[in-house]
Amino acid sequence: MAQIVAVHSFRGGTGKSNLIANVAATMVRQGQRVGIVDTDIQSPGVHVLFGLNEENMTYSLNDYLWGRCDIKDTAYDVSPILMAQGETSMVKGSLYLIPSSIKASEIARVLREGYDVVRLNDGFQELIRCLNLDYLLIDTHPGLNEETLLSIGISHVLIVILRPDHQDFQGTAVTVDVARKLKVPKMMLVVNKVLSAFDFADLRQQVETTYNVPVAGILPLSEEMVQLASKGIFCLRYSQHPISQTMKGIVDEICGLVVCQ
């Protein structure tokens, strides 16, 4: 049974797109068939990590939502891009990316008119079927809106990413509360951009006690990540880096679950 994993943050700038791209790449290295849907339609970005741009995209998620194409037409096989970024032998599965449009006119239309979230859910299920996916990862829009609530509500696993910041802590409390009301089967937290001066074990205990949710990983603020500047997939470029090892631990947590709704 395919698992739907929503990756969410209450605020922007937490590193959500980098997390989802690296989790997906790590899954593919383990032989999984994975899809990523960028539902952050107001401010899409995950496509940058895979080197896609407007010229590479015939259709986007926007086109599907407005009835211009089938959902399968928006799926791009980015497995060859992963092979180009790392050793070919590292990529054993397949990865498909469903990007949102980066055209200003398309983004403006979403902000002005919205879209049919029921059609979005139908698209998720069709992607799982037609691409024979093991995992569908949903990159959500920060904060809470109709699309986010749908993505959280239908997910088997919700990953909430936050920084060690009081605003993030307060927003995460809201997200966790909403997810519990939506009866999400499994929830986990990832703390990102943590200074090396922090006691990671103490921070983990503090966060888990605050939310009563397990912490799947704590990612340090990394100079190498900053220098990469979203020009590729970190765990393929720096496979032995502590961040890459933590990503593998997060994936092991996800893949160790088979959640039924």
Side-chain angles (χ1 to χ4, degrees):
M1 176 183 175
Q3 301 286 286
I4 298 176
V5 182
V7 181
H8 183 65
S9 64
F10 191 79
R11 299 172 66 219
T14 56
K16 176 169 54 66
S17 294
N18 261 297
L19 174 65
I20 203 167
N22 280 276
V23 163
T26 303
M27 287 178 166
V28 170
R29 290 177 64 179
Q30 296 178 358
Q32 306 291 345
R33 294 180 61 84
V34 183
I36 300 175
V37 184
D38 188 354
T39 66
D40 190 357
I41 298 177
Q42 295 94 326
S43 52
V46 70
H47 62 276
V48 173
L49 292 147
F50 296 97
L52 287 180
N53 55 43
E54 189 175 328
E55 289 72 32
N56 304 132
M57 301 180 197
T58 305
Y59 292 110
S60 68
L61 181 63
N62 308 59
D63 294 300
Y64 165 73
L65 293 174
W66 292 323
R68 299 170 181 163
C69 66
D70 293 332
I71 189 67
K72 67 178 182 295
D73 298 326
T74 72
Y76 297 85
D77 184 352
V78 294
S79 308
I81 297 174
L82 296 187
M83 293 180 186
Q85 292 190 25
E87 298 176 15
T88 303
S89 61
M90 294 167 64
V91 181
K92 300 177 181 178
S94 299
L95 180 58
Y96 299 89
L97 175 63
I98 295 82
S100 286
S101 175
I102 55 177
K103 296 178 181 177
S105 60
E106 300 282 272
I107 295 172
R109 180 178 175 183
V110 168
L111 295 173
R112 185 176 62 249
E113 301 177 16
Y115 55 89
D116 184 354
V117 294
V118 175
R119 183 171 173 80
L120 180 62
N121 183 31
D122 292 343
F124 292 158
Q125 303 305 324
E126 178 63 13
L127 282 170
I128 290 170
R129 186 193 66 79
C130 70
L131 298 177
N132 191 28
L133 298 178
D134 299 304
Y135 292 92
L136 180 66
L137 308 182
I138 305 173
D139 189 354
T140 67
H141 183 65
L144 296 173
N145 58 23
E146 190 175 6
E147 168 271 311
T148 299
L149 294 175
L150 167 71
S151 299
I152 291 174
I154 67 169
S155 63
H156 301 97
V157 180
L158 172 64
I159 301 175
V160 182
I161 181 170
L162 67 155
R163 296 161 295 192
D165 175 275
H166 286 298
Q167 291 185 65
D168 280 20
F169 280 10
Q170 289 186 0
T172 298
V174 175
T175 302
V176 168
D177 188 45
V178 168
R180 287 197 170 111
K181 286 181 169 60
L182 292 173
K183 302 187 185 305
V184 176
K186 182 67 177 180
M187 213 179 337
M188 57 183 70
L189 303 175
V190 173
V191 188
N192 194 22
K193 301 183 181 181
V194 180
L195 292 173
S196 58
F198 277 66
D199 183 322
F200 281 29
D202 183 65
L203 178 61
R204 178 187 294 271
Q205 183 176 12
Q206 176 191 343
V207 172
E208 290 185 339
T209 300
T210 299
Y211 303 109
N212 194 27
V213 175
V215 172
I218 296 178
L219 301 169
L221 183 62
S222 164
E223 184 174 338
E224 292 90 346
M225 179 72 82
V226 174
Q227 288 176 338
L228 187 58
S230 297
K231 293 178 182 177
I233 310 300
F234 188 88
C235 68
L236 297 180
R237 299 287 183 89
Y238 302 94
S239 61
Q240 301 305 312
H241 194 281
I243 285 180
S244 302
Q245 299 306 308
T246 301
M247 291 289 183
K248 184 179 184 303
I250 293 169
V251 168
D252 289 344
E253 288 281 333
I254 298 169
C255 294
L257 300 169
V258 179
V259 183
C260 301
Q261 284 185 319

